[in-house]
Amino acid sequence: MSDDDPRVRAELRTKIETRRAGIAAFLHDVRPRRNRLTNISIISSALAAVLVAGPALAGMPFTDTVKRELSLSSGAAVWRPLCVAALIVSLVSVVSSNLSKSQDLAARVTAAEVCSTELEGVLTSLQFGHLSVEEAAEQYHQSVSKIPFVEELPESLRPPRGT
């Protein structure tokens, strides 16, 4: 079979399309998780700052005012719950931030997006005859080697052949 056999070219196009579908599925799953963890971290750390702002910035006048308005017995009844709440939301912030970092979600999303774009370029060049099958296959392997964490789509989810 020749290097530029139309069947081989079509098979490579199908392989690239299938891989791009796998990348799209990966991004569909991972982007929301990355965004959710980032948003939780940002909101939790801001909330922790808000919870300690009154006692930290206004001190005793803040504590005395809240104690008097809420008819509490002591200043500790004001600042202790605020500090406990700040501790809890700080822990939520730290955990969500570290989960995102430990899974390297931002870098994985970026790598998958770049790979998908590269594969789109390979596919276009292959379709319009600007690349030989051999060159396209080499570029395909170079691109997908950057995303070993993206699994192949199961056969049932693959696009039909010849599309």
Side-chain angles (χ1 to χ4, degrees):
M1 238 186 269
S2 96
D3 194 24
D4 279 344
D5 181 309
R7 286 179 291 169
V8 175
R9 189 174 283 272
E11 191 175 319
L12 181 55
R13 277 199 320 261
T14 300
K15 186 168 186 66
I16 293 170
E17 289 165 350
T18 299
R19 189 56 135 147
R20 288 192 69 224
I23 294 168
F26 170 81
L27 290 171
H28 179 76
D29 289 342
V30 174
R31 276 184 185 136
R33 185 175 347 135
R34 175 205 57 189
N35 294 345
R36 192 170 33 257
L37 288 172
T38 299
N39 289 338
I40 288 171
S41 179
I42 291 167
I43 291 167
S44 297
S45 61
L47 188 53
V50 167
L51 289 169
V52 297
L57 298 175
M60 288 300 289
F62 170 82
T63 304
D64 291 340
T65 300
V66 173
K67 178 179 82 171
R68 186 176 57 255
E69 291 297 319
L70 297 178
S71 301
L72 299 173
S73 60
S74 71
V78 173
W79 59 262
R80 274 194 182 132
L82 289 174
C83 289
V84 168
L87 171 68
I88 291 168
V89 294
S90 291
L91 286 173
V92 169
S93 175
V94 168
V95 168
S96 63
S97 178
N98 285 323
L99 278 174
S100 181
K101 287 177 188 173
S102 71
Q103 296 170 9
D104 206 13
L105 295 179
R108 287 180 176 210
V109 166
T110 300
E113 290 170 336
V114 167
C115 183
S116 182
T117 302
E118 288 174 355
L119 292 178
E120 181 179 8
V122 171
L123 186 59
T124 301
S125 294
L126 184 65
Q127 286 174 329
F128 291 106
H130 298 286
L131 277 178
S132 70
V133 171
E134 185 178 322
E135 291 169 324
E138 178 62 31
Q139 287 184 17
Y140 168 82
H141 289 294
Q142 287 174 357
S143 293
V144 298
S145 69
K146 299 172 190 172
I147 55 163
F149 48 86
V150 177
E151 296 178 11
E152 292 282 336
L153 277 181
E155 194 68 40
S156 62
L157 297 177
R158 292 184 183 186
R161 288 183 140 320
T163 59

